[in-house]
Amino acid sequence: MNYFGEKAYLTQSGQLYNEVFITALEKVFIYAPSFRAEPSRTVKHLAEYWHLEMEAAYFHNEDNMKFQEEMISYVCTKLAENHADLLKFFGRDPADLLAIKPPFDRLDYADAIKYLNEHGVKKEYGDDFGAEDEKVLTGHLKQPIFLTGFPKKIKAFYMKEDPKNRTACFVRI
């Protein structure tokens, strides 16, 4: 394929392999590089990055959110403790990262729409969120939050539905 003007070959995500392995191992992680060349609607969409993929048997949304809270808190703590000089170089106070501790707040999609409208961002139920919306939702916060309860129509077809015809998924911002 054409990857920014150069010939490149597609790679396969480890997710399919992880899904097979969880039948025996319950939790499986793959730490691997990812490359993307498709257009994006967000400034946070990286073309090349390393990511950690996890598949876990018997995990539900709340289990997944708890795991992410603990992982993010741990990484922030270690970064602040071991690389405070680097954080300061980039204008960040290590104390801000040390303050990131579980549990993170959960904000329902409908409440997020209401909050955005109350703060000058015109949104209707069924609209998706972009980077500017996320800034309004989180600009006053000291740590990440989870957005939950998205309408089914704006999420991927494979997202599980909850009893209220919403997706049983979340987005961490």
Side-chain angles (χ1 to χ4, degrees):
M1 68 171 285
N2 181 339
Y3 184 70
F4 298 105
E6 294 186 26
K7 188 175 184 176
Y9 300 90
L10 296 175
T11 61
Q12 187 172 342
S13 166
Q15 180 181 359
L16 295 176
Y17 298 104
N18 279 355
E19 288 175 355
V20 171
F21 294 146
I22 64 171
T23 59
L25 303 172
E26 292 191 24
K27 289 182 193 164
V28 183
F29 302 85
I30 292 179
Y31 183 58
S34 288
F35 306 92
R36 294 180 168 177
E38 73 270 11
S40 173
R41 296 180 298 136
T42 173
V43 297
K44 298 188 292 184
H45 187 102
L46 299 173
E48 299 181 15
Y49 62 98
W50 283 79
H51 74 268
L52 179 63
E53 287 182 279
M54 178 188 80
E55 290 292 331
Y58 316 112
F59 256 46
H60 298 284
N61 272 354
E62 194 59 39
D63 300 319
N64 193 347
M65 287 187 277
K66 184 177 180 196
F67 174 82
Q68 288 190 39
E69 289 170 332
E70 292 169 0
M71 176 70 83
I72 289 168
S73 176
Y74 177 83
V75 169
C76 289
T77 298
K78 289 300 178 187
L79 182 61
E81 289 174 353
N82 298 329
H83 299 287
D85 55 336
L86 185 62
L87 288 168
K88 289 176 187 173
F89 175 81
F90 285 107
R92 294 302 309 257
D93 184 352
D96 292 343
L97 274 76
L98 290 169
I100 296 177
K101 301 288 181 202
F104 299 168
D105 288 338
R106 276 92 166 125
L107 179 63
D108 184 79
Y109 172 88
D111 293 333
I113 291 290
K114 182 180 176 185
Y115 182 91
L116 288 169
N117 280 297
E118 289 171 353
H119 289 84
V121 180
K122 299 295 178 210
K123 288 285 182 181
E124 293 182 22
Y125 191 89
D127 290 345
D128 206 353
F129 300 124
E132 292 303 314
D133 303 321
E134 292 176 4
K135 284 181 187 177
V136 173
L137 289 169
T138 63
H140 61 288
L141 301 175
K142 300 293 183 190
Q143 63 182 31
I145 64 170
F146 291 109
L147 290 178
T148 62
F150 284 82
K152 180 75 174 145
K153 71 178 187 175
I154 64 171
K155 288 298 179 186
F157 70 92
Y158 52 81
M159 297 288 180
K160 183 178 178 181
E161 283 187 53
D162 73 8
K164 297 178 183 176
N165 195 32
R166 304 175 313 168
T167 55
C169 73
F170 60 88
V171 175
R172 183 190 66 254
I173 57 174

